Amino acid sequence: MAPAVPALPVRRDLRAAPFLRAARGERPSRIPVWFMRQAGRSLPEYRALRAGHDMLAACLTPDLACEITLQPVRRHGVDAAILFSDIVVPLYAAGVGVRIVPGTGPVVAEPIRTLDDVERLPPLHPEQVAPVTETVGLLLRELGETPLIGFAGAPFTLASYLVEGGPSRNHERTKALMYSAPDVWHALMARLADLTGTFLQAQVAAGVDAVQLFDSWAGALSERDYREYVLPHSTRVLRGLDGPGVPRIHFGVGTGELLAAMAEAGADVVGVDWRVPLDEAARRTGGTHPLQGNLDPAVLFADRASVEAQARRIADEGRSAPGHVFNLGHGVLPETDPDVLTRLVELVHTLRP
Ligand code: CP3
C-alpha cells in the first residue's frame, strides 16, 4: 500500500476573527455570536443527515461530523463552528460501555461505584480519537476564516454520568461517593482529568482554534464542595493547555455561585447561563475574564420584539466585561425555529460591541 501523503497544512488568517478577539479580551469590529448545540435537532438538514445513523457512530464518521458541524455556520452565519461530537465520545473511544439513548442521553452499561471500578476505567490513547482529529482536519479546509471550537466534558459532569449510570436530576449517587469515599472520588476525577486532557490536547494538536470545557452539571454543587472535589481536577485539565495559546472557555449551568471559582480554574473565558446578568457575572469574576452568554434558550419561543429586547439587554450588559461572546445560556432547544436563530445572529451583528 502506498504511504499516506501527508496533508498540506491549512493556512488560515484568524487574526481579525471577532470570536477570537473577544475571547482574548479585545473589542472586535462586531459582537461575535455562536450557539451551544447550534448543530442538532433544530435544523431539518441535521435531522435528514442523522436519519439511520447512531449518534456516537455519526460523531466518529469524519465526513458526516464535518458536514453536520458546517450546517449551522452556513445557515446562520455564526462567528464560530463547534465540532460535532459529544462529551461521552472520549469514554466510548477508550472502550467504556456507553450509548446515547435518544430522548434520554448518555447511558453507561456498568456504573462506577468502587475503587475497583475506577481502576478498570481504561485510559484514552490519542490514536483512539483519530476520527475526531480527522474531522478537525476536514473542517479546517472548509471553514476559511471561521474559527473552530473543540470541546470536552469536564471531569465532574463525566463522573456524574459514570456514577449514576445515566442522566440524573439530583446527582445523589455521585454526591454519596464524593462524601463517603473521597479517596475513590479523587481517583475517579484524576482519571477523568487525564482522559479529558488527552482528548482536548489531541483536538488542539489537530488545529482547533479554541476549546470549551463543559461542566454542565457543576451547578448542582455548593461552592465549598466545588472547590474541594472538582476545582483541582478541572484546573489540571485547563492548565494542561497553558502552552498553545488557544482560548479556553469554561461553562456550566446554574453556576452563578461558582463563577469566581470556575474563573480561577484557568479558563480565559467564563460561560454564564441566563440566571445571572452579565454585568453581575463580570463583578463576580473580578472583571478579569471575557464572558460568554447568556440569552435564555426559552426566550427564542417568544415574539420577535421580546427576543430583540432581551438580546439588546444582553449586549448592553456584556459591555461591562473585558470581552463578550454572545451565546445562549445553554444549548439550543430541539423545537427552536431555526429562522429565529438566523435573525438573532443578524441582530447581534448590528449591535455596538
Ligand atoms: O453544536 C454543538 O453544540 C455541538 C454538539 C454537542 C452535542 N453534545 C451534540 C449532541 C455538544 C457540545 C454536546 C455536549 C454535551 N453532551 C453536553 C454538554 C453540553 C450541555 O448540553 O450541557 C452534555 C451534558 C451531553 C450529553 C448528552 N448528549 C445529552 C444530554 C444528549 C441529549 C439526549 C436527547 O436525545 O435528548 C446528548 C445527545 C446529543 N449530543 C445530541 C446532539 C446533537 C442529540 C442526539 C440526536 O440528534 O438524537
Side-chain angles (χ1 to χ4, degrees):
M1 209 171 73
V5 181
L8 292 170
V10 189
R11 288 196 181 280
R12 297 153 77 227
D13 183 359
L14 297 182
R15 280 171 300 187
F19 165 73
L20 292 175
R21 296 201 58 197
R24 289 194 205 100
E26 299 164 16
R27 289 284 157 200
S29 52
R30 63 171 191 244
I31 302 178
V33 47
W34 69 279
F35 304 117
M36 292 183 274
R37 293 277 174 97
Q38 63 192 14
R41 282 172 294 187
S42 67
L43 301 184
E45 59 271 34
Y46 168 83
R47 297 195 297 268
L49 259 191
R50 266 293 313 286
H53 296 277
D54 169 74
M55 173 66 190
L56 288 173
C59 292
L60 293 167
T61 305
D63 290 348
L64 202 53
C66 173
E67 179 56 26
I68 292 175
T69 302
L70 293 170
Q71 286 177 340
V73 179
R74 291 195 196 106
R75 184 193 262 262
H76 303 308
V78 283
D79 292 284
I82 181 158
L83 184 65
F84 181 74
S85 183
D86 193 83
I87 58 166
V88 297
V89 161
L91 292 170
Y92 178 78
V96 176
V98 58
R99 292 176 302 136
I100 295 182
V101 177
T104 299
V107 174
V108 176
E110 293 174 23
I112 292 185
R113 309 266 164 84
T114 66
L115 191 57
D116 275 358
D117 297 338
V118 171
E119 282 168 357
R120 276 198 299 272
L121 197 63
L124 178 70
H125 303 290
E127 61 275 14
Q128 291 172 312
V129 290
V132 176
T133 53
E134 205 181 305
T135 305
V136 171
L138 295 176
L139 281 163
L140 298 183
R141 263 150 242 280
E142 298 290 331
L143 278 167
E145 273 147 41
T146 303
L148 176 62
I149 304 169
F151 74 89
F156 176 77
T157 293
L158 294 179
S160 171
Y161 284 109
L162 289 174
V163 176
E164 304 290 339
S168 165
R169 180 186 295 267
N170 298 312
H171 308 277
E172 53 268 60
R173 292 189 184 86
T174 311
K175 290 184 182 182
L177 180 68
M178 201 168 87
Y179 296 125
S180 312
D183 50 334
V184 177
W185 173 259
H186 284 294
L188 172 62
M189 291 290 280
R191 283 195 183 221
L192 292 173
D194 287 341
L195 175 121
T196 296
T198 300
F199 188 44
L200 286 176
Q201 280 163 19
Q203 294 176 54
V204 169
V208 300
D209 304 298
V211 293
Q212 177 155 325
L213 188 65
F214 282 91
D215 210 351
S216 301
W217 312 143
L221 298 171
S222 68
E223 184 186 355
R224 179 184 306 166
D225 288 348
Y226 178 82
R227 285 185 178 278
E228 180 166 349
Y229 297 107
V230 176
L231 181 59
H233 304 285
S234 293
T235 301
R236 195 154 66 79
V237 173
L238 290 165
R239 288 287 172 212
L241 298 168
D242 272 347
V246 298
R248 296 157 289 193
I249 308 166
H250 195 188
F251 168 77
V253 184
T255 49
E257 299 299 325
L258 306 181
L259 289 173
M262 288 179 75
E264 283 170 35
D268 302 287
V269 178
V270 177
V272 184
D273 85 356
W274 63 91
R275 293 172 180 85
V276 180
L278 291 179
D279 48 357
E280 173 60 15
R283 199 188 60 73
R284 293 186 189 186
T285 50
T288 44
H289 288 69
L291 299 178
Q292 175 174 282
N294 70 344
L295 184 71
D296 184 343
V299 164
L300 300 176
F301 294 78
D303 61 283
R304 205 186 269 227
S306 303
V307 176
E308 186 171 327
Q310 297 282 334
R312 287 182 187 279
R313 172 182 62 76
I314 284 162
D316 287 344
E317 290 164 353
R319 268 181 234 114
S320 50
H324 177 209
V325 176
F326 196 105
N327 204 315
L328 304 181
H330 197 188
V332 173
L333 296 166
E335 308 296 322
T336 306
D337 175 353
D339 293 340
V340 173
L341 290 169
T342 307
R343 277 204 301 274
L344 178 58
V345 172
E346 286 165 5
L347 170 70
V348 171
H349 283 165
T350 66
L351 303 177
R352 179 172 61 83

